Amino acid sequence: MRRPSWLLRLFLGLPMIYLLAMIGVPIVYNLAMSVQEVTLGNIAAFARPFVGLDNFTDSLADPIFRRVLHNSVVFVLVNVAGQVGIGTIAAACFAGGFPGASTMRGLLLAAWILPGLVVGTVWKWMFATQFGVVNFVLSALGLIGTPVHWLSDPATSMTALNIAHIWFGIPFSMILVAAALTNIPGELYEAASLDGAGPLRRFRYITLPAIAPALFAVACLVAIASLRAFDVIFALTQGGPLNSTNVLPLLSYQASFQDFEFGRGAAIGSFAFVMVFGVALVYVRTLKSEQPA
Amino acid sequence: MIRSRHVAQSVVAGACVAIYLFPLYWMAISGFKTQAEIFADPPSFFPRAPTLDAFRYVVERENMGRYVWNSVAIAIPVMLVAVTLSAMGAYAMSRMRSRLVDAALIAVLLLQVLPEALLATPVFIIFKTMGLLNTHLAVVLATSARAVAFGLVILRPMFRQVPYELEEASYVDGCSEWQTFSRIVLPLMRVPLMVLAAITFAQAYGQFVYPLTLLNRQDLQPGTVGIYSFIGTEIADWHRVMAFAALFALPILLLFMLLQRQIVSGLTAGALK
C-alpha cells in the first residue's frame, strides 16, 4: 500500500459525497420530518409545526401500526426460513454434479432477475380465485373442495404473499449457499462415506457445520431483503385485505402518499430504519469475523 | 450404475426446475391466449389457438413502447453513474488502508440496505423543494444512490485481486496514476464492470418506488408503473396484463441469459467475501 494520493482521495470522495447527498441527507431529513407536522400545505416550507414525538406515540397507539409491525416480523421470519431452507436444499442437490446441473441452476436465477412488480403481477393472476391456476391445481389434486379466496381473505393473504416472495428469493440464497459448498474439501465426504455415513448424515455432520457461518450471513441478507420488500406486495395485495399483508415500508408509503401525512410516514419509516440497520449491523459483524484481512 | 443414478438425478432436478419456473411459463402463455381461453375452466396449459392479439393490443393501445423507452431512459444513466462512481470508489478502497476507509466501507454497507419505500418520503419532499418532480433526472439521481453503494460492495473485492506489482511496473515505465488506472487496472476489470452494468441496468429497469412517487405524468412513467396502472384499470383482462408483463420482462431475461455465468460469480464474490 502506498500513501494515498490526491487522485485516490478524489476517487473515494466523489462516490461518498454522492451517497451522503442522496441517502445520508434524506435519512436526516426524514428524522427531522418525523417530529414535525408535514402536510401538503407546508410541504415546501422549512419551518413546520414541531410536534415532538407525537407522530411516534400516535403510531405506537394505533392498532393498525401494531398489526403491521407484527406482520413485518412474521414476514421476515417466514421468508428467512423458507428462502434459506429451500435455497440450501437446492444448492446441496445441484452440488451433486449430475449432467446439466450448472445449466439448470443458472435457469433458476431467471426468476431472481425479474422486476418485483412483474413477479407480484404474475402471482396475482395465478392466485386469482376464479380461473387462477393455483386453485385449479389444488382442486385437481383433491386438496381443496371450493376455491380459496387467496388474496381477498385475510386468513390466507399472508400465506399467498409468503409463497410468492419466497419463490422470488430462493435463487439468491441458493447461489450464495452453493458458493459456500464449493469450499468444503471433498475428502471429508469420502472419509465419511468410508465410515458408513449416508447422505443425510453427511449433510447433517459435515455440510451443515461447514456452511453455518455462511448460512447466517445469507439469513441476514434475506432478512434485509424482506424488510425492503415493497414491489411484490404492492402489485399482489397493496397490503390488504384489512392490512393483513401490510408491512412497515408500505404503511409508511401509504401514510405519506395516500393520506398525505408525511410526518407520520416519516415516523413509521424511522421505526423501520432501526430494524433494517439492526440486521445490517449484525451482517457487517459476520463479514468482519469471517475475513481477518 | 453411477451413470443411471446421475440420469435419474438429472430427471428429478429437471422436473423441479420446470415446476419452479412454471410462473414464467404461465405469464408467457397467458399472453398468447384469447379472452375466451383465459376464462376457460379448466384452464389450458398450452394455448389452443395461440394469438398475438394481446401483444398487439398492449403495443398499440397501452403505449407499451413509450413505457419501455422510459424504463431504458432511466436505466442507462443509472447504469453509467453507478459503474463510473463505484469503479472509482472501489479502486480507492482497495488501494488505501485507513480508519476512514474502514468507516466509509461500513457506511456503504449500511446505506446499501435501506428500503427505497422509506427513503421515498424524504426524497419526494427534497425533490419537490428543488422543483425536480416529474423529471427523469430525479428518478435517476435517487435510483443511482443505492446502485453506487451496491457497486462498491461488489467491486471492492474484485479490485483487491489486481496484483499491486502490475501497477508498480506501470509506474516504473513512467505512467501516471490516472494512466495506470485507466490503461492497466480498468481493462482487467472488464468482466466485473460488465456484470455490475448488467445488474444495475436490470435493477433500475425494474425500479418502481421512485418513479411511482416522483413522476405523476403518465408520459414520463416507466413500464413498472405502467403495469401497475394497467392492473388497476383492466383487472379482468389477464391475457393483456400478462402480455404487457412478458414483453416488459423480455429485455431483462435476454440480458440475463447472455451474462448468466458472470453474474453468478460476481454476486457470490461481493456478498460473502
Side-chain angles (χ1 to χ4, degrees):
Chain A
M1 294 294 146
R2 58 180 189 269
R3 255 168 51 85
S5 64
W6 285 108
L7 189 72
L8 281 188
R9 286 182 195 169
L10 180 75
F11 274 17
L12 183 63
L14 282 178
M16 293 314 289
I17 290 170
Y18 188 75
L19 288 182
L20 280 182
M22 293 314 306
I23 306 182
V25 170
I27 293 176
V28 174
Y29 198 80
N30 191 68
L31 270 180
M33 285 191 339
S34 62
V35 292
Q36 292 177 325
E37 188 186 321
V38 189
T39 58
L40 276 183
N42 64 15
I43 196 169
F46 281 103
R48 307 185 185 107
F50 177 78
V51 294
L53 294 176
D54 283 5
N55 288 321
F56 289 93
T57 49
D58 287 357
S59 293
L60 280 174
D62 180 3
I64 291 177
F65 175 83
R66 283 193 235 160
R67 162 127 210 213
V68 170
L69 184 63
H70 173 84
N71 286 347
S72 287
V73 173
V74 171
F75 179 70
V76 168
L77 293 179
V78 172
N79 270 276
V80 168
Q83 291 181 26
V84 180
I86 300 174
T88 304
I89 294 169
C93 293
F94 283 118
F98 48 84
S102 67
T103 312
M104 288 186 208
R105 205 171 57 188
L107 275 178
L108 290 185
L109 259 190
W112 171 80
I113 202 90
L114 286 177
L117 210 87
V118 168
V119 172
T121 307
V122 172
W123 280 97
K124 190 181 171 98
W125 164 221
M126 300 209 324
F127 275 125
T129 308
Q130 273 188 305
F131 313 113
V133 70
V134 172
N135 273 345
F136 170 76
V137 170
L138 289 180
S139 67
L141 293 173
L143 292 171
I144 54 170
T146 51
V148 178
H149 295 265
W150 286 104
L151 301 176
S152 50
D153 180 350
T156 53
S157 53
M158 192 48 137
T159 307
L161 169 62
N162 278 325
I163 290 171
H165 206 263
I166 288 173
W167 179 85
F168 194 22
I170 287 172
F172 181 69
S173 292
M174 181 191 70
I175 290 300
L176 295 185
V177 175
L181 286 178
T182 57
N183 292 331
I184 306 176
E187 298 88 56
L188 279 180
Y189 291 105
E190 286 164 28
S193 301
L194 288 177
D195 289 344
L200 280 181
R201 286 173 67 89
R202 290 200 298 266
F203 182 77
R204 166 71 186 81
Y205 290 105
I206 299 176
T207 311
L208 269 189
I211 59 170
L215 280 186
F216 188 74
V218 176
C220 291
L221 288 173
V222 174
I224 290 168
S226 309
L227 284 166
R228 296 168 43 85
F230 183 88
D231 300 7
V232 174
I233 308 176
F234 207 81
L236 194 66
T237 61
Q238 289 230 304
L242 299 172
N243 290 303
S244 57
T245 54
N246 209 341
V247 291
L248 287 176
L250 182 53
L251 187 68
S252 162
Y253 167 87
Q254 288 168 338
S256 293
F257 296 103
Q258 287 171 9
D259 306 337
F260 302 112
E261 294 177 30
F262 294 95
R264 192 163 63 85
I268 297 166
S270 298
F271 274 109
F273 276 143
V274 172
M275 288 171 74
V276 185
F277 271 143
V279 182
L281 279 173
V282 175
Y283 170 67
V284 171
R285 284 190 76 100
T286 66
L287 285 187
K288 281 208 143 178
S289 61
E290 265 185 56
Q291 177 196 23
Chain B
M1 169 65 188
I2 300 247
R3 256 191 88 89
S4 65
R5 211 178 73 196
H6 270 166
V7 171
Q9 277 179 327
S10 295
V11 171
V12 173
C16 291
V17 171
I19 292 172
Y20 179 81
L21 291 178
F22 177 78
L24 287 181
Y25 172 75
W26 198 243
M27 167 174 78
I29 63 150
S30 296
F32 285 106
K33 290 182 179 178
T34 59
Q35 187 163 30
E37 199 176 350
I38 273 283
F39 297 124
D41 189 22
S44 53
F45 284 78
F46 190 82
R48 280 188 288 266
T51 163
L52 289 173
D53 284 358
F55 293 97
R56 210 170 285 134
Y57 178 88
V58 295
V59 171
E60 284 167 9
R61 307 282 294 278
E62 291 292 333
N63 292 309
M64 184 78 216
R66 193 193 64 208
Y67 281 122
V68 172
W69 166 251
N70 283 334
S71 297
V72 172
I74 290 168
I76 287 181
V78 170
M79 175 183 84
L80 294 176
V81 170
V83 171
T84 309
L85 284 182
S86 56
M88 290 161 60
Y91 176 66
M93 281 181 166
S94 72
R95 290 293 178 263
M96 291 160 80
R97 190 165 284 177
S98 70
R99 266 159 206 260
L100 188 72
V101 176
D102 288 347
L105 182 64
I106 291 181
V108 168
L109 280 167
L110 290 180
L111 293 181
Q112 199 229 156
V113 303
L114 290 177
E116 279 94 348
L118 298 181
L119 290 171
T121 302
V123 163
F124 171 81
I125 295 186
I126 290 171
F127 281 139
K128 184 171 171 69
T129 323
M130 295 167 68
L132 283 177
L133 289 187
N134 276 320
T135 62
H136 280 170
L137 177 66
V139 180
V140 168
L141 285 174
T143 308
S144 304
R146 175 156 187 270
V148 169
F150 176 77
L152 288 169
V153 174
I154 293 279
L155 287 183
R156 194 189 63 105
M158 306 283 187
F159 275 108
R160 286 179 79 162
Q161 286 170 9
V162 177
Y164 187 56
E165 292 76 38
L166 276 179
E167 289 175 53
E168 278 176 334
S170 152
Y171 293 128
V172 170
D173 288 347
C175 285
S176 72
E177 204 174 10
W178 168 255
Q179 287 169 327
T180 306
F181 174 69
S182 59
R183 295 196 196 154
I184 310 287
V185 179
L186 275 190
L188 287 170
M189 286 289 109
R190 210 170 37 232
V191 174
L193 290 175
M194 204 170 62
V195 170
L196 180 70
I199 296 181
T200 47
F201 179 87
Q203 284 177 345
Y205 185 88
Q207 164 64 235
F208 176 60
V209 177
Y210 286 138
L212 179 72
T213 50
L214 301 176
L215 308 171
N216 60 28
R217 264 176 50 194
Q218 213 184 7
D219 57 313
L220 293 175
Q221 288 167 346
T224 46
V225 181
I227 298 179
Y228 177 69
S229 32
F230 196 28
I231 322 178
T233 52
E234 318 234 356
I235 191 70
D237 288 338
W238 280 111
H239 56 310
R240 289 172 178 165
V241 175
M242 289 298 113
F244 195 120
L247 271 186
F248 179 65
L250 191 63
I252 295 300
L253 289 173
L254 290 177
L255 181 72
F256 164 76
M257 280 198 286
L258 276 176
L259 292 172
Q260 176 216 347
R261 227 164 264 285
Q262 290 87 338
I263 291 177
V264 171
S265 56
L267 269 182
T268 44
L272 290 182
K273 279 178 199 155

